[in-house]
Amino acid sequence: MSKFFNRFFVFPAISCLLAFFLVWQWFPENLWQYPIQFSDAPAHYYYIEKLVSGGIGQIFHLTAEGGFYPPLFHIVAALFINIFHLSVMQGMVCSWLFFNAAIFPIGMTLLVSFFIGRKNIFILSLIPLFSVSFFAFPYLLLHEGPLLAYGAAQAL
């Protein structure tokens, strides 16, 4: 059991941690200077604030008109805010990092392990780093402005 655990879990886990820190270091500091923050981002701030103040029961009518908006990104951000006592912007960034720096590399590792099997541990250990090093995902969404919810959806 110990040999299987070491071979299958430890090396990809270390690679996932390195991928997380790579994305964390890459995340742009001046993200909130783009014009889209004046139209799209306030709606997401509102959804998160509504979840934080009103609770999980608000997920079916997040919009100002009471309509439905897919809430997973906002729920995760609200959880980060409630657990770690963060601001809304910090909660959004933590939610984006959760999806793109943790869920995406782990998901890619599991996907590749389905196709190549679990015997080639060297390739499986490189997949998290390769997945976050791909130039088109999800970083172009950040260069267009803070399209954080779309980046999280693409990570899933």
Side-chain angles (χ1 to χ4, degrees):
M1 179 70 174
S2 176
K3 186 176 181 181
F4 174 77
F5 180 78
N6 286 339
R7 292 191 70 228
F8 180 68
F9 182 74
V10 172
F11 296 125
I14 291 170
S15 184
C16 284
L17 284 174
L18 290 173
F20 180 85
F21 287 116
L22 178 72
V23 173
W24 184 24
Q25 289 301 313
W26 178 88
F27 195 83
E29 301 250 344
N30 56 357
L31 177 67
W32 308 107
Q33 68 181 353
Y34 297 105
I36 199 167
Q37 78 183 24
F38 299 114
S39 62
D40 186 54
H44 294 291
Y45 304 150
Y46 172 76
Y47 302 156
I48 294 169
E49 278 291 329
K50 195 170 182 181
L51 282 171
V52 169
S53 63
I56 197 74
Q58 300 293 323
I59 63 172
F60 294 112
H61 42 87
L62 279 181
T63 64
E65 300 84 25
F68 179 76
Y69 188 88
L72 184 60
F73 176 78
H74 308 95
I75 290 171
V76 172
L79 286 173
F80 277 114
I81 290 168
N82 286 333
I83 292 170
F84 299 110
H85 306 290
L86 303 173
S87 69
V88 173
M89 283 184 151
Q90 291 170 331
M92 284 183 71
V93 170
C94 287
S95 181
W96 187 89
L97 285 172
F98 171 75
F99 283 107
N100 294 293
I103 296 297
F104 182 67
I106 291 168
M108 289 302 294
T109 303
L110 293 173
L111 178 69
V112 171
S113 73
F114 176 77
F115 290 109
I116 68 168
R118 295 184 176 131
K119 295 187 188 326
N120 197 340
I121 196 68
F122 179 72
I123 291 176
L124 287 178
S125 296
L126 293 178
I127 295 301
L129 291 173
F130 286 155
S131 67
V132 298
S133 299
F134 184 60
F135 76 95
F137 181 85
Y139 312 115
L140 289 179
L141 291 173
L142 287 177
H143 285 293
E144 296 300 322
L147 298 172
L148 302 178
Y150 293 113
Q154 190 175 3
L156 287 176

